[in-house]
Amino acid sequence: MTLLLDRRFAALFWCQAFAAFNDNFLKTALAVLILYRAHGQSALVALAGAVFILPFLLVSGIAGEMADRFDKAVLATRIKGIEIAAAGLAVAGFLTQSVPVLFVALLAFGVLAALFGPVKYGLLPDLLETARLPFANALVDFATFLAILLGTALGGLLGARDPLVLAVLVMGFSVLAFGAARLIPRPGAARPDLVLRGNPLAASRDLLRSLRQPATLWRAALVNTWFWFAGIVGLTLLPVMTKTVFHRGPNAVTVALTMFSLGVGVGSFAAARQMRGRISLAPARSGTILLAFGAFLVAAIARPGHFGFVLTALFIMAGGGGQIAVPSFAAVQAWSDPGARARAVAGTNILSAAAMVAASLVLSILLHFGIGVRPIFAGLGAIALVMLPLLHR
């Protein structure tokens, strides 16, 4: 926790925390609006996730090149400045209770988040020693999921009664993120001579090609992709399961997300402690076992009256996810070339975004055709078992 007293890390940490709150606040508030006000269309909840993630596929290539070409701290400030304008669109959506306007705002936030991704994770190795990366990533991961929790809690508790409060919050946290970004130390540009591509798809293609060498870097990127695939499935199904299986309202969604967030935090710090400053993917193996066990447990016991037991299963599942996330992203940061680190992060983001978009679309189809959450969780557990042998290579 001494990292939070380090000005180099603290400014980036709070910028990321405020931004993550806004991203997930908007997304989860929209999910609550859809589930409890807009005819309860569960498939639209999955679609909202896809709308937010899709920009990571389209602009991450350019984002990685920009983060290596320019000073990352300067880019962070400019991106967060533009985000204030996007927050204005979200304000209009909340005040008018317009789902289409909020979807457009969510898309804008997704584009800005995609641009910010290579900046924030590329900055960590510039600001900190390699031995401190596991705990730094654990703190960032925990803050991200805590932001999901707080965004959902405030969206559920206040959104149904007072959209003006939601509007003030989304604008206020955009301003706070901008203020924190201005305090991030400026490390200078990693590759000031880098020529930016005009074609974002070509840039993304080249990033994925370069990510394959060395092979250890590619493996770390794939492991991190596995975490985000599993994470989007869990986060998408949580509010749907709470309403359709347990017949509870937004407050129960908050409780479920609390357990999920705490699980990710505990798993993240456990992985960082296990690594002891050394970069290794070993914790991801035990994390995948825990994730599979938790997913199968949810599938087995998710019935009315078993809400408390399911919360425990979600905690186990999320703890496994935390043990996958920290070592995989620390490995991407440490094993990539310093002059191409932001592009390696961007390439990893492209893979993760592709997996999340695919998962969101498949979930949307499954939910639309009435497939319940229990078989979907069982399917996630089966995928984890398939992944496990790959992590032993």
Side-chain angles (χ1 to χ4, degrees):
M1 292 298 180
T2 56
L3 274 173
L4 292 176
L5 302 178
D6 187 326
R7 180 183 176 274
R8 296 172 300 171
F9 175 75
L12 177 61
F13 173 85
W14 288 112
C15 178
Q16 157 63 10
F18 294 142
F21 173 89
N22 251 0
D23 293 343
N24 293 285
F25 170 80
L26 178 57
K27 185 166 57 175
T28 53
L30 177 57
V32 169
L33 181 64
I34 292 170
L35 281 173
Y36 295 98
R37 284 198 170 189
H39 312 298
Q41 300 180 47
S42 299
L44 280 181
V45 177
L47 182 61
V51 166
F52 180 78
I53 298 163
L54 184 61
F56 284 83
L57 284 174
L58 302 179
V59 304
S60 285
I62 294 297
E65 291 184 351
M66 290 173 59
D68 279 331
R69 169 66 177 81
F70 302 107
D71 188 301
K72 298 179 185 67
V74 174
L75 274 179
T77 303
R78 292 177 179 175
I79 291 169
K80 293 307 157 189
I82 297 172
E83 192 172 284
I84 294 175
L89 186 61
V91 166
F94 281 131
L95 293 180
T96 60
Q97 295 285 278
S98 170
V99 170
V101 171
L102 286 171
F103 261 102
V104 174
L106 187 63
L107 178 64
F109 270 80
V111 171
L112 294 169
L115 293 174
F116 187 54
V119 172
K120 66 184 179 186
Y121 284 112
L123 264 171
L124 282 176
D126 292 338
L127 302 178
L128 301 172
E129 302 81 5
T130 299
R132 305 181 80 183
L133 286 179
F135 271 104
N137 279 286
L139 282 169
V140 170
D141 288 342
F142 180 63
T144 298
F145 279 89
L146 187 60
I148 295 172
L149 165 64
L150 294 176
T152 302
L154 291 175
L157 294 173
L158 303 175
R161 296 191 300 268
D162 196 345
L164 178 60
V165 174
L166 295 179
V168 171
L169 284 173
V170 74
M171 180 59 72
F173 276 89
S174 291
V175 173
L176 287 172
F178 174 73
R182 290 176 58 87
L183 298 176
I184 299 173
R186 298 185 176 185
R191 283 285 308 277
D193 60 334
L194 183 67
V195 178
L196 300 180
R197 297 291 191 95
N199 186 337
L201 296 181
S204 297
R205 179 198 61 207
D206 290 346
L207 283 189
L208 292 177
R209 285 177 179 173
S210 63
L211 193 63
R212 298 184 69 91
Q213 296 296 329
T216 52
L217 180 61
W218 177 248
R219 183 180 175 218
L222 291 178
V223 174
N224 189 259
T225 299
W226 158 232
F227 163 73
W228 286 110
F229 174 87
I232 197 66
V233 171
L235 289 174
T236 301
L237 292 179
L238 274 182
V240 176
M241 179 174 61
T242 303
K243 183 190 178 189
T244 61
V245 176
F246 301 110
H247 309 293
R248 300 198 180 194
N251 290 348
V253 175
T254 300
V255 173
L257 277 170
T258 299
M259 294 299 291
F260 198 89
S261 301
L262 290 175
V264 170
V266 170
S268 296
F269 288 115
R273 190 175 187 84
Q274 182 180 345
M275 293 169 72
R276 298 179 181 176
R278 298 187 300 271
I279 306 301
S280 168
L281 293 175
R285 293 194 288 270
S286 57
T288 297
I289 294 172
L290 278 178
L291 193 151
F293 176 71
F296 282 129
L297 194 57
V298 172
I301 65 177
R303 294 182 178 87
H306 290 178
F307 188 60
F309 295 111
V310 169
L311 291 180
T312 302
L314 288 172
F315 182 87
I316 294 171
M317 176 181 161
Q323 287 188 293
I324 299 168
V326 167
S328 59
F329 226 122
V332 170
Q333 292 164 330
W335 295 345
S336 56
D337 181 84
R341 182 175 290 130
R343 279 169 287 168
V345 171
T348 304
N349 287 345
I350 292 171
L351 288 175
S352 300
M356 288 190 286
V357 168
S360 296
L361 293 176
V362 170
L363 284 175
S364 182
I365 293 170
L366 292 176
L367 292 170
H368 177 74
F369 285 102
I371 305 299
V373 295
R374 291 177 59 200
I376 298 176
F377 271 109
L380 179 61
I383 294 173
L385 293 181
V386 172
M387 288 291 299
L388 193 58
L390 302 178
L391 295 172
H392 284 279
R393 291 182 179 176

